Amino acid sequence: MKLSAGQGRLGWLAVSVARQIGMENDAVDIIQSGSIFEAGEIITNPMRDIILKHCPQARIIRLNSQPVVGAVILGMEQAHVDGYAIRDNLIRAANEIVK
């Protein structure tokens, strides 16, 4: 199947970010956030294929928390604190606050 110009573009965005921060060879989580992913495989398959071709250790997962959690983890990483170690607690806390 030939991809249209738009299909897979999200994959290239993720790959370019991973390259910019030097994580294309790391086991990194790439989080799908937003209603665009409700379109299903027509969006996710081309994205996944491109990401895994260029970032083979990436894990592509659907967001299961408030988007702010990712920003908090990135901020913690900048302060040399392992935010991923407490990610599950951050997700639970953020979801409780929103309720």
Side-chain angles (χ1 to χ4, degrees), residues 1 3 8 32 40-51:
M1 176 176 93
L3 295 179
Q32 296 176 341
E41 293 178 357
I42 194 164
I43 297 293
T44 58
N45 284 353
M47 184 187 88
R48 183 196 67 239
D49 293 346
I50 289 169
I51 290 170

Side-chain angles (χ1 to χ4, degrees), residues 66 94-99:
Q66 302 302 313
N95 287 339
E96 283 297 315
I97 289 168
V98 172
K99 284 184 184 178

Side-chain angles (χ1 to χ4, degrees), residues 72-89:
V72 170
I73 291 172
L74 287 174
M76 293 174 75
E77 293 289 317
Q78 290 297 309
H80 306 290
V81 176
D82 185 4
Y84 287 100
I86 61 167
R87 179 173 59 181
D88 291 340
N89 291 336

